[in-house]
Amino acid sequence: MITKEEVEHVGWLARIEIHESEAQAYAEKLNAVLDYFSQLDEVDTENVAPTYHVADIVNVFREDVVRPSMPQEEVLANTGKKQEGNFLAPRIM
Amino acid sequence: MTGWANISQVKEKIAQTSAEDVTASYLERIRKSRINAYTTIWEGAIEKAREIDEQGHNGPLAGIPIAIKDNISTRGISTTCSSKILQGYVPPYDAHIVERLKDAGAIILGKTNMDEFAMGTSTESSCYGPTLNPWDKARVPGGSSGGSAAVVAAGEAPISVGSDTGGSVRCPAAFCGVVGLKPTYGTISRYGLISYANSLEQIGPLATCVSDIAALMDVIGGHDARDSTSVQTETMYKDALVDDVSGLKIGVPAEYFGAGIDPAVENSVWDAIQLFEELGASWEQVSLPHTSYALAAYYIIAMSEASSNLARFDGTRYGLRNEGENWHVMASRTRAEGFGAEVKRRILLGTYALSAGYHDKYYLKALKVRTLVKQDFDQAFKEFDCLMTPTMPTPAFKLEEKVEDPLALYLADVNTVPINLAGVPSISLPCGFTDGLPIGLQIISKHFDEATVLRAAYSFEQNTEHHTRRPAEVA
Amino acid sequence: MVYENVDGVKIGLEIHVQLNKLNTKLFCGCSTDYHNDEPNTHVCPVCLGLPGALPVLNKRAVEFAMKVGLALNCDIVGQTQFHRKNYYYPDLPKGFQTTQYDFPIASHGKVIIDGEDGERIVRITRAHMEEDPGKLMHIGSIEKSKGTLINYNRSGMALIEIVSEPDMRSPKEARRFLDKLRSILEYLDVFNGDLEGAMRVDANISVMGGERVEVKNISSHKGVEKAALYEIMRQKNFVRRGGKVVLETRHFDEQRGVTLSMRSKEEEHDYRYFPEPDLVPMRVADRVPEVIKTLPELPDAKRERFTSQYGMADMHAKALTSEIKVANFYEQVANLVDPRSAAVWVADILKGELNYRDVSVDAFKVEDIVEIIELVTGNKITERSGVEIIRTILDNGGTPAAIVKEKGLIKVEEDIVTKAVTEVLEENPEALQDYLGGKEKSLNFLVGQVMKKTAGRSDAKTTREMLLDRISKLPPK
């Protein structure tokens, strides 16, 4: 069971602002899903390896050859917050 | 003039008139549309078509209009994943498949509506509002590629592309009565497809007939060095279009006809299987015993990957930007405002499933179950050439029917998600109707055996009329 | 002599090394040569984290990482894959860093350093590959900043993070380790340590069996030594006053020379590692023999060879081999002149002058030092003049011949004559007395002696004048 406090913590980890007033409602909806997920507990997965990739491919590389980068205007074209060729963000802390 | 038409019919029209005329009539149709299937109409289409008229083009799709799902990057054309958080984002680059389509001479009409970030089965979670099912505007078109399926069904584009993470091409294809293919994982480059759950998803074509699916695959399939999971394949998909299923061994997995299946759907699918038998194929029941766990495993994996894939939307470089006293608060508010309810729920669940103390219980466990699901398929394909199931357990449901109950919505994906867990190819094609709503037959085959899927689907189509039916308002 | 380490100091280091000798970044084709360019001009959809872009691994980066691992005496992993390390920070355009996690490319190695009491082994825990974040510039101080400027040119640069065991017992040993590491990396030609941000260090420091404190993101070897000195003092004082050191992360303020606590909500992490689905596993074990063949002679081996091959003192061999550039320079010189003289001139003199000016050996030409050594050993100039020429070349440029001429080969000749004059006067006190007593002929004898000593390099007239000048300046008896 995910608690209201855990919802707030996970919200912070995921950088999604959750108001205290919303946390309870989130907890209920998330718990319904987590409850459904818990059915996996009944599957015996002893000695079963996880499947991270379905395609059995290894060693895919690129040669160390330079390709053109984007022009600075294009890099910054999707933001209004920029300064002297840099992205401009609020202070960090 | 245009409407429900396949590639060869559109080619004829172009020959009679011009690519510009054909494109213009599609654009006109789109502007009059009442199904809200496009998120962006690309006005440059006309000019592009004129260029093809004037300069000529010998590509396989010369002058053929196409619609692209809004989660596929198109240079200079807004690409938003139907999300508020990507409002205003205009990509500076084309996805691999968009490059291929342009090289083949296709004309991009615009971007199609979808569930926000492809997270849904109904196209209702779009920030642009739901797309309506062309067969019944009170119903959903399926999702998440609802727009891409609806435009084909409504004659607003002859062909389209979507993406399929857990059924997102096949579900709307079934609900809208068109054909949709989810190819083997690694067949089509994902370069430029905005990730929802990268280990599960593939781009897939949608069309009015199986031949057009093959034609599209011949253009967009194949290796791309920019996607490390892309594989070398030499399939010529058109070569698979053979009307012959004699000797084909069909497996029918009992688990896909489980509780909650609509009797009309069940009947139509059995009718289809019977037809295959009449055409020379044989069938047997088979069991995929871990099917019932696939849904939970799928959602855990998809949400976990999504929680990381969607981390880049932080307001710093593109898209929506909120205010805040520092960067972290700015990012948190931007994300709280920019993502819709379902996307937020999935990010939170995915974050939780990967977090310290829960990683093994959820994420790792799901990946182990994935192995078991995959083994079920491996086992079945030792005996059978393909499997046949209903794509969806029911026909299209009503708008808002499942909006408030995420779990009920997830359950609708029960027959499509195992395929993505295993990475195998599967197609959905129309196999009947109930109360005027289309029903989809799903044909599944083993890794890189699209040829069998296409041959079976093509043969079925050659011997049935379902695919020729069209919604009442598409003349 | 045994080093006591009375404070029980333990220092472990985590060093982020930029593989900046690659042509391109770790996962995209953007050039690594951004250091003098405008911000955000070396980025593409991949390293800018644009939606839909996908990474593809640089093959040569893997080779470089394997070389580093092998040079640090590590085992190379059989199969590995990249993971995502999830956390939010504006320099991280994807909201996660692609890095190695449970299977680093290299592990269980060691490096030998000159410790407090002779050779000391520092164990290498692991070395793993990862991508560099972009670069942040705070407008004003980090705490009160009005905003942050972000330049993603650095984003996606290939890094190798080398983690040591806490085997260093003093700040000096930490510095020696870093010097040695840099030396090895430059030998491997995977890294140019002169470029800004090429090596960044986190130091884990504990005293007297207490918890370790991590000091993050120190950008110079000197900084690591200073930070460690400060931190040891701080922890000792804290314990002395009855405090208990707790596990924490601190930030090093290079200007003030102090470490500051960084505890804040923004620093709480739960990285939620999982394998990167967009990259496939790599199996590289079978390539190890091939990569071993490409390994160059490393500093320790070269040092040994220099003493045996050139017959130089170990002290000189060590000085000459600590930097690959100096070692190569020396060997070119040693091929052309007496290797032992070359060792003295390059290790003792030239290196000192270079260090004093903080310039690399690139600033000096092999043919110039060869010419200088030949002039000195040929007795044509004094050692002091040799040093003078080196300094002149470094400060003002020019060639030895021109400098000899300009500053006066004549002056140089005069030096020899001057020296001979002094010697002749000392060796012949009677002749001097005779001259001072009025015997003019004795002066001719002295002139003859000087000319003999200088092998005729001085003419009689000048020699006579110099003798007279010197005699006139002799202190009265």
Side-chain angles (χ1 to χ4, degrees):
Chain A
M1 281 290 276
I2 189 166
T3 62
K4 209 178 138 209
E5 289 68 35
E6 278 179 302
V7 167
E8 285 171 24
H9 172 68
V10 171
W12 172 253
L13 274 183
R15 293 297 183 280
I16 293 176
E17 190 176 67
I18 294 174
H19 290 290
E20 234 191 306
S21 56
E22 304 168 292
Q24 190 55 43
Y26 266 113
E28 280 162 26
K29 282 226 157 105
L30 302 190
N31 273 320
V33 179
L34 288 172
D35 191 43
Y36 180 77
F37 289 169
S38 67
Q39 65 171 276
L40 294 190
D41 293 346
E42 50 190 76
V43 187
D44 180 7
T45 52
E46 188 107 16
N47 302 320
V48 177
T51 296
Y52 295 109
H53 293 274
V54 278
D56 192 19
I57 323 173
V58 292
N59 292 353
V60 174
F61 299 115
R62 169 180 68 76
E63 296 302 322
D64 187 26
V65 177
V66 174
R67 314 255 312 154
S69 298
M70 286 155 56
Q72 194 191 57
E73 315 81 73
E74 206 164 272
V75 173
L76 297 167
N78 275 293
T79 180
K81 309 272 186 179
K82 49 196 154 189
Q83 189 172 313
E84 289 152 7
N86 294 287
F87 288 90
L88 177 61
R91 69 194 168 96
I92 293 173
M93 292 185 208
Chain B
M1 50 159 284
T2 47
W4 180 296
N6 60 29
I7 291 176
S8 53
Q9 289 163 336
V10 175
K11 278 189 175 167
E12 260 172 55
K13 285 241 169 70
I14 292 172
Q16 288 159 12
T17 58
S18 67
E20 186 181 343
D21 280 356
V22 169
T23 299
S25 74
Y26 272 107
L27 289 174
E28 198 187 323
R29 209 179 163 82
I30 294 164
R31 282 194 201 94
K32 287 182 187 154
S33 169
R34 289 183 297 156
I35 57 169
N36 192 35
Y38 279 91
T39 60
T40 302
I41 301 167
W42 190 48
E43 298 297 341
I46 286 284
E47 201 180 316
K48 207 77 215 160
R50 193 179 305 143
E51 233 174 70
I52 283 176
D53 287 333
E54 284 166 8
Q55 295 165 16
H57 196 294
N58 52 16
L61 297 177
I64 307 293
I66 189 166
I68 313 268
K69 191 175 179 180
D70 201 30
N71 61 351
I72 295 171
S73 191
T74 42
R75 183 182 170 91
I77 308 176
S78 163
T79 300
T80 71
C81 295
S82 289
S83 178
K84 189 175 174 186
I85 209 159
L86 271 174
Q87 288 311 300
Y89 172 62
V90 179
Y93 78 103
D94 273 332
H96 173 76
I97 66 137
V98 173
E99 283 178 0
R100 288 272 184 99
L101 287 167
K102 284 180 174 175
D103 288 349
I107 309 285
I108 296 169
L109 292 172
K111 306 302 284 286
T112 57
N113 203 11
M114 55 187 277
D115 279 298
E116 185 181 6
F117 282 102
M119 297 178 183
T121 310
S122 66
T123 313
E124 291 170 284
S125 68
S126 162
C127 73
Y128 306 105
T131 291
L132 312 182
N133 191 317
W135 296 88
D136 177 353
K137 291 202 228 17
R139 291 178 187 267
V140 303
S144 67
S145 313
S148 290
V151 295
V152 173
E156 295 178 15
I159 50 175
S160 69
V161 283
S163 67
D164 189 315
T165 311
S168 284
V169 162
R170 290 159 291 155
C171 158
F175 282 6
C176 291
V178 300
V179 189
L181 174 73
K182 185 213 81 87
T184 307
Y185 188 82
T187 303
I188 300 179
S189 169
R190 290 182 293 113
Y191 190 79
L193 168 65
I194 301 179
S195 299
Y196 154 31
N198 12 20
S199 83
L200 299 161
E201 61 209 6
Q202 275 290 287
I203 287 172
L206 294 111
T208 58
C209 61
V210 179
S211 317
D212 287 1
I213 295 290
L216 253 173
M217 283 302 293
D218 280 328
V219 171
I220 64 178
H223 183 251
D224 172 23
R226 291 169 299 184
D227 175 359
S228 306
T229 63
S230 156
V231 294
Q232 306 275 358
T233 52
E234 271 153 44
T235 316
M236 281 301 293
Y237 298 92
K238 278 246 175 189
D239 294 349
L241 302 176
V242 181
D243 179 9
D244 180 7
V245 291
S246 52
L248 187 76
K249 286 197 234 162
I250 302 166
V252 183
E255 293 85 355
Y256 286 69
F257 296 77
I261 192 168
D262 184 293
V265 170
E266 192 168 6
N267 287 338
S268 288
V269 170
W270 279 114
D271 286 349
I273 292 165
Q274 208 166 353
L275 177 66
F276 276 104
E277 194 174 25
E278 285 161 23
L279 294 172
S282 64
W283 68 267
E284 247 179 87
Q285 284 228 325
V286 62
S287 174
L288 305 175
H290 295 94
T291 302
S292 65
Y293 300 108
L295 199 68
Y298 165 81
Y299 272 100
I300 291 170
I301 295 166
M303 289 172 180
S304 298
E305 291 179 5
S307 72
S308 174
N309 289 329
L310 271 61
R312 67 188 66 196
F313 305 104
D314 60 18
T316 306
R317 291 159 300 276
Y318 41 77
L320 186 75
R321 163 95 156 238
N322 210 314
E323 299 300 320
E325 61 266 29
N326 67 39
W327 183 83
H328 296 275
V329 174
M330 179 280 282
S332 303
R333 290 196 183 141
T334 299
R335 291 164 63 78
E337 184 193 338
F339 291 136
E342 179 58 20
V343 172
K344 282 193 264 193
R345 275 196 293 270
R346 293 197 192 191
I347 292 174
L348 292 173
L349 283 165
T351 303
Y352 183 72
L354 284 170
S355 68
Y358 298 101
H359 176 278
D360 288 7
K361 176 176 164 60
Y362 294 110
Y363 178 69
L364 191 63
K365 184 80 181 183
L367 289 168
K368 289 178 175 177
V369 173
R370 180 179 195 176
T371 304
L372 297 173
V373 171
K374 187 168 175 280
Q375 284 170 356
D376 283 354
F377 280 100
D378 292 343
Q379 204 57 39
F381 288 125
K382 281 181 188 159
E383 248 181 283
F384 300 101
D385 300 316
C386 64
L387 305 174
M388 292 192 188
T389 80
T391 308
M392 300 301 289
T394 67
F397 46 86
K398 290 215 166 88
L399 287 160
E400 289 181 28
E401 191 181 316
K402 301 187 186 199
V403 167
E404 282 309 307
D405 186 357
L407 201 53
L409 202 57
Y410 301 170
L411 291 170
D413 301 336
V414 64
N415 284 3
T416 50
V417 298
I419 283 77
N420 300 76
L421 286 175
V424 294
S426 95
I427 201 167
S428 176
L429 71 163
C431 69
F433 287 81
T434 171
D435 295 334
L437 295 172
I439 294 167
L441 166 70
Q442 173 169 247
I443 307 175
I444 309 155
S445 185
K446 61 178 183 287
H447 282 110
F448 304 109
D449 193 13
E450 273 78 359
T452 296
V453 164
L454 289 172
R455 178 162 62 100
Y458 180 75
S459 303
F460 183 78
E461 205 179 69
Q462 293 302 302
N463 293 282
T464 54
E465 300 290 322
H466 309 295
H467 66 287
T468 61
R469 246 175 101 168
R470 53 199 72 176
E473 73 177 57
V474 182
Chain C
M1 183 195 76
V2 174
Y3 179 65
E4 298 271 356
N5 193 15
V6 287
D7 297 322
V9 171
K10 281 187 187 169
I11 303 173
L13 299 176
E14 291 171 23
I15 306 109
H16 296 83
V17 176
Q18 225 181 35
L19 300 175
N20 52 21
K21 286 263 180 130
L22 292 168
N23 297 323
T24 64
K25 296 182 178 183
L26 186 54
F27 296 121
C28 65
C30 284
S31 148
T32 55
D33 187 18
Y34 62 82
H35 291 85
N36 299 315
D37 287 350
E38 287 283 298
N40 295 305
T41 52
H42 287 253
V43 295
C44 70
V46 177
C47 59
L48 188 59
L50 288 186
L54 299 172
V56 185
L57 182 56
N58 183 340
K59 188 177 185 183
R60 205 150 145 259
V62 179
E63 283 163 17
F64 275 23
M66 288 173 76
K67 276 190 186 186
V68 172
L70 290 166
L72 301 180
N73 305 295
C74 290
D75 301 330
I76 301 297
V77 73
Q79 173 164 327
T80 179
Q81 62 195 335
F82 281 91
H83 275 65
R84 291 183 178 186
K85 179 180 181 180
N86 294 286
Y87 67 97
Y88 286 84
Y89 219 66
D91 59 7
L92 220 50
K94 295 175 293 184
F96 58 83
Q97 183 188 28
T98 308
T99 179
Q100 291 182 313
Y101 179 53
D102 44 3
F103 293 99
I105 187 139
S107 59
H108 304 106
K110 64 171 194 227
V111 171
I112 298 168
I113 62 164
D114 286 313
E116 294 281 357
D117 47 5
E119 266 190 9
R120 179 156 182 84
I121 291 175
V122 176
R123 289 167 299 160
I124 304 296
T125 318
R126 58 186 278 158
H128 69 253
M129 304 176 72
E130 62 184 28
E131 60 180 342
D132 212 347
K135 194 166 163 48
L136 302 179
M137 238 172 43
H138 309 287
I139 308 174
S141 75
I142 186 164
E143 299 93 351
K144 291 172 192 162
S145 166
K146 288 200 185 75
T148 310
L149 299 178
I150 318 168
N151 173 3
Y152 291 105
N153 282 346
R154 197 177 74 183
S155 166
M157 285 289 286
L159 294 181
I160 182 151
E161 181 177 335
I162 299 160
V163 182
S164 88
E165 294 290 317
D167 288 346
M168 287 148 279
R169 300 163 297 171
S170 68
K172 192 166 103 188
E173 286 192 344
R175 178 150 183 200
R176 292 264 171 86
F177 173 77
L178 291 171
D179 290 343
K180 185 65 175 279
L181 185 63
R182 174 169 172 163
S183 164
I184 293 170
L185 293 165
E186 292 194 330
Y187 266 65
L188 295 172
D189 201 25
V190 299
F191 162 79
N192 174 359
D194 295 334
L195 294 175
E196 191 230 326
M199 205 190 238
R200 279 128 40 210
V201 183
D202 301 342
N204 289 298
I205 301 156
S206 69
V207 299
M208 296 174 282
E211 287 282 9
R212 69 190 157 82
V213 169
E214 185 179 26
V215 185
K216 278 198 109 74
N217 224 351
I218 317 171
S219 58
S220 71
H221 298 197
K222 226 181 267 176
V224 171
E225 196 174 7
K226 273 163 67 184
L229 278 169
Y230 176 85
E231 193 50 34
I232 291 165
M233 186 192 70
R234 187 190 69 80
Q235 292 183 27
K236 272 167 61 184
N237 286 337
F238 189 61
V239 173
R240 192 171 302 141
R241 289 192 312 253
K244 193 163 184 289
V245 177
V246 293
L247 203 69
E248 66 165 333
T249 301
R250 296 175 76 85
H251 158 80
F252 181 55
D253 185 327
E254 203 121 27
Q255 263 117 39
R256 288 154 63 196
V258 299
T259 66
L260 305 163
S261 184
M262 297 191 2
R263 243 170 296 166
S264 75
K265 198 182 179 191
E266 287 79 10
E267 298 298 327
E268 278 170 31
H269 292 307
D270 177 348
Y271 292 123
R272 291 163 281 132
Y273 284 97
F274 74 99
E276 166 59 278
D278 291 331
L279 290 166
V280 300
M282 52 175 175
R283 278 183 209 138
V284 291
D286 55 336
R287 298 209 41 219
V288 168
E290 185 188 324
V291 176
I292 285 177
K293 276 188 211 148
T294 69
L295 285 183
E297 180 184 41
L298 291 168
D300 291 343
K302 201 179 284 280
R303 179 170 161 183
E304 249 172 64
R305 178 169 65 80
F306 274 20
T307 50
S308 60
Q309 183 179 341
Y310 300 116
M312 68 176 73
D314 181 59
M315 175 189 76
H316 284 152
K318 183 182 156 197
L320 289 173
T321 55
S322 70
E323 262 182 81
I324 181 73
K325 282 181 186 168
V326 174
N328 290 341
F329 183 90
Y330 166 76
E331 288 210 282
Q332 289 180 55
V333 177
N335 278 335
L336 300 168
V337 295
D338 169 45
R340 277 191 232 197
S341 306
V344 174
W345 274 91
V346 178
D348 285 348
I349 302 167
L350 179 59
K351 215 177 159 212
E353 296 296 332
L354 293 169
N355 287 349
Y356 177 71
R357 285 166 183 78
D358 200 20
V359 292
S360 101
V361 73
D362 296 339
F364 217 84
K365 288 193 188 120
V366 170
E367 67 242 41
D368 287 353
I369 193 75
V370 165
E371 197 174 335
I372 292 166
I373 295 169
E374 277 171 343
L375 284 168
V376 174
T377 52
N379 216 15
K380 297 211 174 93
I381 61 170
T382 61
E383 280 190 16
R384 264 186 53 206
S385 301
V387 175
E388 167 92 24
I389 296 169
I390 291 175
R391 289 179 180 159
T392 309
I393 290 176
L394 286 172
D395 295 336
N396 308 315
T399 63
I403 294 164
V404 163
K405 200 168 175 191
E406 186 197 326
K407 300 226 167 184
L409 176 61
I410 297 154
K411 188 185 159 205
V412 168
E413 296 291 341
E414 269 173 11
D415 282 350
I416 295 166
V417 179
T418 309
K419 200 174 157 214
V421 165
T422 312
E423 281 168 15
V424 165
L425 287 176
E426 274 169 15
E427 286 160 12
N428 299 283
E430 287 146 35
L432 178 60
Q433 280 311 312
D434 288 353
Y435 171 72
L436 288 173
K439 255 177 121 175
E440 281 290 323
K441 269 193 177 171
S442 295
L443 186 62
N444 291 341
F445 169 75
L446 291 169
V447 169
Q449 291 299 307
V450 171
M451 287 177 70
K452 199 171 152 193
K453 234 185 203 315
T454 60
R457 215 174 296 173
S458 55
D459 62 81
K461 188 167 167 271
T462 323
T463 309
R464 191 183 188 87
E465 279 165 11
M466 286 175 70
L467 270 167
L468 285 172
D469 183 56
R470 176 65 59 88
I471 291 166
S472 72
K473 284 175 185 160
L474 285 172
K477 292 239 155 150

